[in-house]
Amino acid sequence: MAAPSQYILPNDLPVALLDCEEAFSLLSAEEKLYTHFLSRASFYGGLIVLFQTSPESPAIYILLNRLFRAQEPSVLHDVALLQEITEDEYQALLVYTAGFFANVGNYKSFGDTKFVPNIPKEKLEKLVRASEAFAKDPEGIEALWKMVETHMYSLEPRERQLGLGDQGISTYFSANCTLEDAELIQRFLDTKNLSAYNTRLFKTQDEGGRAKYEVRLASVSKEGTAADSSDLSHSLGPFDFEGHEILVTRGDYSPLLLRVRENLEKAKAYAANDNQRRMLEEYGRSFQEGSIQAHKEGSKHWVQDKGPIVESYIGFIESYRDPFGSRGEFEGFVAVVNKLVSARFTQLVCAAEKLVASLPWPSSFEKDAFLRPDFTSLDVVTFSGSGIPAGINIPNYDDIRQSVGFKNVSLGNVLSVGSATEREKLTFLSEEDKDVFIKYRGPSFEVQVGLHELLGHGSGKLFVQDKKGTFNFDNKNIINPETGELVKSWYKPGETWDSKFSTIASTYEECRAECVGLYLCVNEEVLRIFGHEAQEAQDVLYVNWLNMVRAGLMGLEFYTPETGRWRQAHMQARFVILQVLLEAKENFVTVTQKVGADGRPDAQVSLDRNKILSVGRPAIQRFLQRLQVYKSTADVERAREMYDGYSKVTDSEPYRFLTLRDIVILRKEERKSFVQINTRVTGDNVDVLRYDSSPSGLILSVLERFPDDEEELEREMLDLSCADAHFWGTQNSR
């Protein structure tokens, strides 16, 4: 029986090349080598994402690698036809493999839903047994197939999406962990001043049925004790906490992080300055020891490395996919500055202090001084992780952001390829809106990304009390504008934004940043900085608002009615904004159901451009102040009540969002997958290997990613996967 369409990738999966050859060719010989070794480190580290996605992902990756490495796609195609596999079925296998490699696992990076092969299991098994890979190593391939065949295709309710407990699959936690376990361990970590970013949690029971917990840090070192000079010297080993035995260990992903560290060391020889060298040293120490404190030190040097030609960042970064919202997915990127577009962002930085002052919250809720960041447009050379964003604001450590600063990057070659849309595939807009939308979607998205990253994530103050009892705000005089009373809550020692707001932290912060973008994009100076004036400027800001409400409607795809959960932080945020703007009334935004030209159910969203300033902006202004005040004051209770209220999806009139969700799924367009280049050192030169914009091209790019040690690498990955399989009730053996 065929899987429902939302769990398969379409045979016309859009695939685009992330072109960076021109930018790369302009680098010096040293810069090319620096880029190459950072790319190697990123790609090796990116394999960790397989272990952070699902229990079966590492073995599926190895099976697909071996299958296509023995016979590249065009050759395996002929074998498939001899096994009576149709052209469509073989194309479905290519699409599944490309999608798996692009997402680094069998769950979509955007939406966290599982996808399965759209080729019958019996036929895929037949092809595997007829392949050259099987002929070379029948025992090994047979074992791999047995490990993955069930879970590769299974769509049991819990396996359809990522989640905690009975809500879904998560390999950040053993299968028996609950939300209560996650909360317990977060309290423990707070008392130890340990970050959860590079951890996983495994729960077992002793003979008496008492729960025991292992908090495992990612590191090369597997030793149970740390040197006295290490910040982890008092954090490893067994602890008793609230009547529970908790063991803090390290060594997760050890062989992969070893390769990351080795390549960072090689890159250090080509670093342009001391900040880069010290940054790489601290990252290496972080990955060796499992120390987030070392990674924070490296991040400080990274922030202070102003205006580099080659920009990069690496580590356990974004917490979107941890169901609890505290653990980071491994991510590494290397990119080259686009000087022309970066000049516009520099102008925006120059105007930032004035723009921040215009945001709708009292000045006491803003940082004491705006720490002017780097803001550059980059052409990505390498991006490892489950997905590639259009813009980034990092580091995510709030203490560094508040005291040292941060950086913003707009990923130009991702933006230009990702925003391209064919008119006939454009959904949920009137014919009139489609023309202006296609013309200005790219420029308007560039404006939104710039404002979102620089002034969204870069604004706002957290009220904090440190270990000595000192406040970073005037706790005796600052009035909460939402209550009219003195501020009564703040972040206590050991508490962070992520730990305090946990499950809503990511989406809440994305919503705040998106609202800042909407609020400020009406500013004529902002639009002029990006090169838009007169009627064009009005069209750009209109399309930005229109794009947001359309995205809010499309976000319904990422809501799961069975669990009442949202699976994607940005799309939940955009739906919340849609709700806020619908609540503004006056027919500013309308969402209607209709019958499409093809006779199937359809929908249309519209926005009255003449009411953006009179209705839309005041609504965002009011909402944005509440978002910031609750964030500043650590008022989780009021924040959750408000945000969960706007996040509710029901089928009640007048909008019937659950019915609209069915329409959105019916008409969804799959997100683009990106093909990335590889680099090779030949003598004194670094060569670029380029691939086609197709599923086969994407597959070949991954097959050629680890030419020097692929077999040893796969053995080590298999050992890691098998060692932990019992935590998810699968006894993988070799």
Side-chain angles (χ1 to χ4, degrees):
M1 186 171 148
S5 63
Q6 65 263 42
Y7 301 111
I8 59 172
L9 301 175
N11 271 12
D12 60 351
L13 178 78
V15 177
L17 175 69
L18 215 47
D19 191 10
C20 62
E21 274 194 84
E22 183 179 354
F24 186 82
S25 69
L26 297 174
L27 297 177
S28 68
E30 289 76 16
E31 288 164 347
K32 286 179 179 177
L33 285 162
Y34 184 67
T35 300
H36 169 76
F37 288 116
L38 287 175
S39 293
R40 305 310 303 144
S42 296
F43 278 142
Y44 278 120
L47 295 171
I48 290 171
V49 178
L50 294 163
F51 296 87
Q52 295 179 306
T53 299
S54 70
E56 65 272 13
S57 282
I60 295 175
Y61 171 86
I62 296 167
L63 176 66
L64 294 173
N65 242 291
R66 291 186 181 176
L67 188 64
F68 285 103
R69 199 163 67 226
Q71 292 166 293
E72 65 176 56
S74 59
V75 178
L76 194 62
H77 168 266
D78 296 337
V79 179
L81 295 186
L82 290 173
Q83 303 306 310
E84 299 180 339
I85 292 170
T86 68
E87 293 283 0
D88 280 350
E89 288 167 341
Y90 185 69
Q91 178 66 16
L93 174 60
L94 294 182
V95 162
Y96 175 81
T97 305
F100 184 95
F101 286 159
N103 289 279
V104 197
N106 57 341
Y107 287 76
K108 293 180 184 178
S109 66
F110 205 84
D112 293 341
T113 49
K114 189 173 184 178
F115 56 94
V116 300
N118 195 23
I119 172 177
K121 183 164 71 170
E122 299 74 24
K123 288 196 173 186
L124 179 54
E125 182 175 2
K126 199 174 176 185
L127 177 60
V128 167
R129 294 182 188 283
S131 69
E132 183 65 25
F134 191 88
K136 285 180 178 176
D137 180 18
E139 192 175 309
I141 298 298
E142 178 72 24
L144 280 168
W145 176 252
K146 292 298 182 192
M147 287 168 65
V148 306
E149 62 172 331
T150 300
H151 290 294
M152 194 179 194
Y153 280 88
S154 174
L155 285 172
E156 292 297 317
R158 188 184 176 195
E159 294 180 81
R160 292 173 190 166
Q161 64 283 313
L162 299 180
L164 186 56
D166 59 4
Q167 301 290 301
I169 289 292
S170 174
T171 45
Y172 289 103
F173 301 88
S174 55
N176 56 353
C177 281
T178 64
L179 182 61
E180 290 72 28
D181 295 320
E183 290 170 340
L184 167 73
I185 297 305
Q186 187 61 59
R187 291 196 299 275
F188 165 75
L189 292 172
D190 288 345
T191 66
K192 289 292 176 186
N193 204 26
L194 268 177
S195 170
Y197 269 124
N198 65 341
T199 69
R200 291 199 288 172
L201 176 62
F202 303 106
K203 177 182 172 184
T204 55
Q205 290 184 324
D206 62 20
E207 292 177 359
R210 180 171 174 247
K212 297 170 64 177
Y213 299 93
E214 178 194 358
V215 176
R216 190 188 299 169
L217 310 182
S219 68
V220 178
S221 175
K222 299 177 182 179
E223 294 175 7
T225 57
D228 289 342
S229 58
S230 169
D231 59 281
L232 295 173
S233 58
H234 300 294
S235 301
L236 300 175
F239 299 90
D240 189 80
F241 180 77
E242 296 184 6
H244 298 279
E245 184 183 329
I246 300 172
L247 180 66
V248 181
T249 66
R250 57 182 176 175
D252 217 0
Y253 325 121
S254 178
L256 299 178
L257 286 172
L258 175 62
R259 288 171 167 81
V260 174
R261 198 204 68 201
E262 288 172 343
N263 279 281
L264 292 180
E265 191 64 31
K266 291 175 182 176
K268 196 167 70 173
Y270 304 100
N273 54 54
D274 279 342
N275 268 322
Q276 288 183 1
R277 277 185 283 276
R278 293 174 72 183
M279 167 188 86
L280 295 176
E281 283 171 5
E282 292 293 352
Y283 290 164
R285 184 165 74 86
S286 171
F287 299 141
Q288 176 66 36
E289 297 182 12
S291 168
I292 288 296
Q293 189 56 46
H295 195 268
K296 290 171 78 169
E297 292 302 316
S299 296
K300 290 177 185 177
H301 291 298
W302 178 72
V303 170
Q304 292 160 354
D305 181 29
K306 303 291 185 183
I309 299 300
V310 178
E311 186 62 282
S312 68
Y313 197 64
I314 190 168
F316 296 87
I317 313 298
E318 302 291 357
S319 55
Y320 299 127
R321 297 184 100 183
D322 170 15
F324 188 67
S326 295
R327 289 154 188 81
E329 180 178 280
F330 195 94
E331 183 178 287
F333 77 83
V334 193
V336 181
V337 171
N338 180 319
K339 292 182 179 177
L340 185 64
V341 181
S342 295
R344 293 205 288 269
F345 290 132
T346 300
Q347 286 182 270
L348 189 64
V349 171
C350 291
E353 287 173 77
K354 187 167 67 172
L355 292 169
V356 165
S358 73
L359 290 170
W361 48 77
S363 59
S364 53
F365 283 73
E366 192 47 67
K367 295 184 184 78
D368 299 334
F370 183 77
L371 299 167
R372 187 172 288 197
D374 258 12
F375 197 172
T376 48
S377 177
L378 306 174
D379 285 345
V380 171
V381 177
T382 297
F383 204 111
S384 76
S386 62
I388 307 179
I392 317 172
N393 177 288
I394 37 182
N396 287 335
Y397 307 119
D398 279 311
D399 51 344
I400 295 177
R401 297 167 67 84
Q402 304 267 332
S403 60
V404 181
F406 54 92
K407 284 187 184 182
N408 300 273
V409 296
S410 174
L411 304 179
N413 53 350
V414 177
L415 262 172
S416 60
V417 174
S419 62
T421 307
E422 297 173 33
R423 195 181 197 282
E424 58 271 21
K425 292 186 176 180
L426 196 54
T427 53
F428 311 130
L429 295 178
S430 69
E431 293 303 312
E432 181 184 0
D433 275 340
K434 284 182 181 180
D435 294 326
V436 70
F437 188 89
I438 285 173
K439 187 173 183 180
Y440 292 111
R441 184 188 187 187
S444 73
F445 196 42
E446 183 181 65
V447 172
Q448 179 68 13
V449 167
L451 295 171
H452 174 115
E453 301 297 347
L454 173 66
L455 301 167
H457 293 314
S459 64
K461 180 173 182 171
L462 301 184
F463 293 166
V464 177
Q465 181 183 24
D466 66 19
K467 290 178 182 175
K468 297 176 182 176
T470 305
F471 294 90
N472 72 338
F473 66 103
D474 185 352
N475 65 308
K476 294 194 167 51
N477 291 299
I478 292 181
I479 300 296
N480 182 326
E482 289 298 308
T483 64
E485 301 172 350
L486 284 175
V487 167
K488 294 180 178 178
S489 57
W490 48 83
Y491 295 84
K492 308 294 193 304
E495 292 179 342
T496 65
W497 161 250
D498 282 322
S499 70
K500 190 76 176 171
F501 279 68
S502 65
T503 54
I504 67 164
S506 291
T507 180
Y508 189 99
E509 174 59 11
E510 294 304 333
C511 188
R512 196 182 68 86
E514 292 284 47
C515 286
V516 168
L518 285 182
Y519 185 75
L520 292 177
C521 80
V522 305
N523 184 294
E524 290 183 2
E525 183 182 0
V526 167
L527 293 164
R528 198 159 42 244
I529 286 170
F530 284 91
H532 310 301
E533 297 190 69
Q535 184 58 46
E536 180 182 284
Q538 296 306 305
D539 287 340
V540 166
L541 84 86
Y542 170 60
V543 169
N544 194 36
W545 281 70
L546 180 64
N547 190 30
M548 188 63 69
V549 294
R550 176 176 179 261
L553 174 62
M554 294 169 69
L556 288 166
E557 175 192 343
F558 302 95
Y559 175 77
T560 305
E562 293 82 4
T563 61
R565 286 182 60 251
W566 285 88
R567 307 184 314 276
Q568 214 291 321
H570 299 79
M571 298 312 273
Q572 180 180 357
R574 290 158 188 164
F575 178 77
V576 164
I577 292 170
L578 172 62
Q579 290 272 50
V580 169
L581 295 178
L582 286 168
E583 186 182 70
K585 307 289 192 212
E586 298 190 44
N587 283 325
F588 174 53
V589 172
T590 57
V591 181
T592 53
Q593 293 184 37
K594 63 177 189 176
V595 176
D598 57 4
R600 300 188 300 171
D602 204 346
Q604 184 173 305
V605 64
S606 61
L607 180 144
D608 188 337
R609 65 188 299 163
N610 297 315
K611 295 178 182 175
I612 290 175
L613 291 178
S614 61
V615 179
R617 197 166 188 256
I620 291 296
Q621 180 176 354
R622 289 190 297 273
F623 179 55
L624 190 47
Q625 176 173 284
R626 294 170 73 192
L627 286 170
Q628 181 57 50
V629 168
Y630 297 153
K631 180 182 179 183
S632 290
T633 60
D635 194 344
V636 181
E637 192 174 326
R638 281 194 178 90
R640 280 190 184 278
E641 182 183 3
M642 175 188 73
Y643 202 76
D644 289 347
Y646 283 122
S647 299
K648 277 202 177 96
V649 179
T650 72
D651 218 27
S652 60
E653 297 290 353
Y655 303 114
R656 303 197 62 201
F657 283 121
L658 284 174
T659 301
L660 282 169
R661 178 182 178 274
D662 293 336
I663 294 171
V664 168
I665 289 173
L666 177 71
R667 297 190 175 274
K668 72 178 179 128
E669 181 186 359
E670 201 63 47
R671 288 173 66 84
K672 286 186 177 72
S673 292
F674 294 110
V675 182
Q676 299 185 53
I677 67 160
N678 284 311
T679 54
R680 288 281 182 277
V681 176
T682 309
D684 296 330
N685 298 320
V686 180
D687 300 323
V688 170
L689 305 183
R690 197 174 192 272
Y691 305 92
D692 292 337
S693 296
S694 66
S696 292
L698 199 159
I699 292 167
L700 288 171
S701 73
V702 175
L703 294 178
E704 296 185 355
R705 200 162 276 174
F706 306 107
D708 303 323
D709 58 350
E710 56 199 13
E711 292 186 4
E712 180 188 4
L713 186 62
E714 289 174 2
R715 277 197 303 274
E716 290 172 344
M717 289 171 64
L718 213 47
D719 287 343
L720 289 177
S721 179
C722 292
D724 289 332
H726 63 282
F727 286 121
W728 297 281
T730 54
Q731 301 299 323
N732 290 350
S733 58
R734 297 168 59 192

